[in-house]
Amino acid sequence: MNQVEGVILDWAGTAVDFGCFAPVNVFLDIFREAGIEVTMQEARAPMGMLKIDHIRSMLSMPRVGALWEGKYGRAFTEQDVENLYAEFEPALMASLSEYTDPIPQVIETVQVLRSQGLKIGSTTGYTQSMMDVVIPNAAGKGYQPDYVITPDGTHSLGRPYPYMIYHNMEALKLSAAWKVVKVGDTISDIQEGVNAGVWSVGVIIGSSEMGLSQEEFNALSDVEKETVISATQTSFIQNGADFTIQSMSELPQLIGRINVLISQGIRPYAR
């Protein structure tokens, strides 16, 4: 049938870890220990990428690169990337289990989608060893997709490459890219979906792109909430998202809208 067959969800910032704080705090720490003070915005900008690629992307930013040259008298090298990653991985692993709580409405939404016959896949910027911590902890709290793959399974070709999505499609027997919806909370998630030719959806509240903890978001006034929601939505759309949703509870209704578009012959790459 010409309708959505499967949904592929990102993990941190989309399904678990409201605000995607597990990795961002470690990025800030490892750069600080190297004598470089990066901003929260700089630490978050490449979020969703394979973590060693994330570090390389941060060092490639003009301001961060200039700080590195000022500190060390030379441009960063690949060895510097590897050294920083060697600090990053054990630090993240030490705290990762604390950041596996499902984001509100995720478990209920997945139940609705499954009741409609949809498969639930997933992609991530975490490595397999990181996911070996996240998967059982999240499962113990009620969240478990039908399929998980990391960049380890695609020869370290993580986002924005589309290959993790293609592995999901194969494993879940999804028949066409335009029958697949990818949901994520970062620009690299959106780009991954666009490059795969699937419907690409940005989820706003709880996202790394928004960058607020649940407590920080709840403390905002209604006007402030509208402002940060609008800014996050604009960022997703400008980077190629077909749609945005404020929270996961809106996803079943959006899939209904996408099914109407599919029935009209509209495809994600034609929008």
Side-chain angles (χ1 to χ4, degrees), residues 51-183:
K51 300 316 172 194
I52 193 168
D53 293 340
H54 185 128
I55 291 169
R56 192 180 295 109
S57 179
M58 287 180 66
L59 286 168
S60 298
M61 295 174 182
R63 195 191 80 87
V64 177
L67 288 174
W68 189 274
E69 290 191 34
K71 174 73 174 178
Y72 295 102
R74 57 172 175 77
F76 79 90
T77 65
E78 188 61 22
Q79 186 61 54
D80 295 322
V81 174
E82 293 177 7
N83 290 344
L84 285 169
Y85 184 74
E87 297 294 326
F88 173 86
E89 185 167 5
L92 179 67
M93 294 292 284
S95 62
L96 196 51
S97 63
E98 301 170 19
Y99 294 90
T100 56
D101 288 348
I103 291 173
Q105 303 168 344
V106 167
I107 294 173
E108 297 84 353
T109 297
V110 167
Q111 290 173 341
V112 170
L113 297 176
R114 282 189 169 132
S115 73
Q116 297 171 348
L118 297 178
K119 303 289 182 61
I120 309 297
S122 67
T123 66
T124 182
Y126 286 157
T127 62
Q128 188 60 53
S129 62
M130 296 169 191
M131 290 307 298
D132 287 343
V133 175
V134 175
I135 292 169
N137 275 276
K141 298 168 184 176
Y143 176 69
Q144 188 169 20
D146 300 320
Y147 182 71
V148 180
I149 188 169
T150 76
D152 290 23
T154 57
H155 305 286
S156 295
L157 294 174
R159 302 168 182 145
Y161 289 103
Y163 306 124
M164 287 189 289
I165 288 179
Y166 296 154
H167 277 266
N168 272 268
M169 291 180 61
E170 178 184 27
L172 300 176
K173 298 179 174 62
L174 307 177
S175 64
W178 48 270
K179 297 180 182 180
V180 176
V181 174
K182 167 66 202 302
V183 184

